[in-house]
């Protein structure tokens, strides 16, 4: 990582995005934009199905602008590259990604970034999952579970805080990845060291869709 370089952070709204932002920033990378790919109707993020208004509130609380590019899975790569090229034209040199050790994801990131002339940075790569979660908690990030694969984790896990009890409960289930890297669960980060204020949001209903449980989030309504 080159200190002082400007970068975007590939943003899902979850714990790996937030921790990779934090670690890259701590190493001197200046993150100037969040890049968030969303559904064609603009209502939800592609990665975790989070309400796009809540993601905008995250960006506001962090103090970094967010780009929410509409796409579909069939056009995802082309639309992603288009946005990255536009960021490159604005002078950004790097992209920060929160992947831990899925090689096929890294291969895709390196290929796509190479094709558009952006340097990929993966601060969390091959770090211990338990250590990453412990660091996430220790430095003050706060997050809740907002999606689970129903075959692994049920409705009761929705809304749980990412804390030490959460880690211990997951460790008792050796078939699960501690960080949910196989899609067992997804999170929404609402406070922490990269935030200037907590994110203003509310939780709504719990829904079962396509063998996944989802906790609906609603952007907070200012008083």
């Amino acid at each position: 990582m080159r200190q002082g370089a400007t970068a975007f952070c590939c943003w899902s709204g979850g714990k790996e995005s937030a921790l990779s932002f934090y670690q890259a920033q701590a190493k001197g990378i200046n993150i100037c934009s969040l890049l968030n790919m969303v559904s064609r109707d603009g209502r939800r993020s592609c990665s975790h199905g989070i309400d796009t208004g809540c993601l905008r509130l995250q960006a506001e609380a962090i103090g970094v602008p967010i780009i929410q590019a509409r796409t579909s899975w069939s056009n995802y790569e082309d639309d992603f590259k288009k946005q990255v090229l536009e960021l490159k034209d604005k002078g950004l040199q790097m992209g920060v990604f929160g992947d831990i050790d899925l090689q096929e994801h890294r291969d895709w990131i390196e290929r796509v970034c190479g094709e558009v002339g952006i340097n990929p940075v993966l601060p969390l790569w091959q770090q211990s999952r338990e250590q990453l979660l412990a660091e996430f908690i220790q430095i003050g990030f706060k997050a809740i579970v907002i999606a689970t694969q129903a075959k692994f984790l049920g409705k009761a896990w929705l809304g749980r805080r990412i804390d030490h009890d959460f880690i211990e409960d997951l460790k008792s289930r050796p078939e699960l990845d501690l960080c949910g890297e196989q899609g067992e669960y997804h999170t929404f980060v609402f406070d922490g060291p990269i935030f200037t204020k907590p994110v203003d949001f509310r939780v709504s209903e719990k829904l079962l869709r396509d063998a996944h449980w989802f906790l609906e989030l609603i952007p907070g309504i200012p008083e």
Side-chain angles (χ1 to χ4, degrees):
M1 300 183 195
R2 184 155 55 85
Q3 190 166 7
T6 55
F8 68 88
C9 182
C10 192
W11 190 257
S12 70
K15 61 189 187 309
E16 282 83 23
S17 291
L19 191 55
S20 63
F21 183 117
Y22 173 84
Q23 288 195 7
Q25 192 175 62
K27 294 181 179 179
I29 292 178
N30 180 24
I31 296 177
C32 301
S33 182
L34 307 179
L35 177 54
N36 173 228
M37 306 301 288
V38 305
S39 58
R40 280 292 184 205
D41 62 11
R43 295 178 57 195
R44 300 185 181 278
S45 65
C46 289
S47 53
H48 296 356
I50 299 173
D51 182 283
T52 51
C54 290
L55 292 160
R56 289 192 294 272
L57 288 177
Q58 280 183 322
E60 179 186 330
I62 294 169
V64 173
I66 188 169
I67 295 169
Q68 293 184 303
R70 299 188 183 198
T71 190
S72 63
W73 288 120
S74 60
N75 294 322
Y76 187 96
E77 182 172 316
D78 288 342
D79 292 333
F80 182 84
K81 287 163 72 173
K82 177 183 176 182
Q83 295 302 318
V84 173
L85 279 170
E86 291 182 6
L87 289 167
K88 181 185 176 185
D89 288 343
K90 294 178 181 178
L92 274 66
Q93 304 154 305
M94 294 182 173
V96 174
F97 299 85
D99 295 82
I100 298 174
D101 67 1
L102 294 179
Q103 189 62 49
E104 62 184 292
H105 286 192
R106 180 169 189 143
D107 291 343
W108 183 88
I109 289 166
E110 291 182 339
R111 177 180 61 79
V112 168
C113 287
E115 289 173 1
V116 296
I118 284 283
N119 295 320
V121 178
L122 290 81
L124 312 185
W125 189 251
Q126 293 189 335
Q127 293 190 48
S128 157
R129 284 162 166 71
E130 187 168 356
Q131 289 178 4
L132 287 172
L133 286 175
E135 178 187 1
F136 183 85
I137 296 164
Q138 190 274 325
I139 61 180
F141 277 115
K142 297 177 182 178
I144 59 171
V145 175
I146 49 87
T148 63
Q149 278 195 50
K151 66 179 180 180
F152 292 122
L153 299 171
K155 180 180 181 180
W157 286 77
L158 295 177
R160 284 197 59 174
R161 288 279 293 268
I162 307 304
D163 55 20
H164 293 294
D165 288 340
F166 178 83
I167 296 175
E168 291 304 312
D169 286 346
L170 280 183
K171 286 171 66 177
S172 71
R173 302 275 302 275
E175 76 277 16
L176 303 180
D177 185 288
L178 277 183
C179 285
E181 285 296 279
Q182 302 300 327
E184 294 95 331
Y185 71 96
H186 297 302
T187 59
F188 178 78
V189 182
F190 60 90
D191 202 2
I194 65 174
F195 291 81
T196 62
K197 60 182 179 180
V199 179
D200 184 14
F201 74 101
R202 293 180 291 125
V203 298
S204 182
E205 56 189 333
K206 298 178 180 181
L207 302 173
L208 182 63
R209 295 195 303 264
D210 301 324
H212 288 75
W213 282 104
F214 292 93
L215 177 63
E216 295 287 284
L217 304 183
I218 301 172
I221 301 173
E223 295 181 356

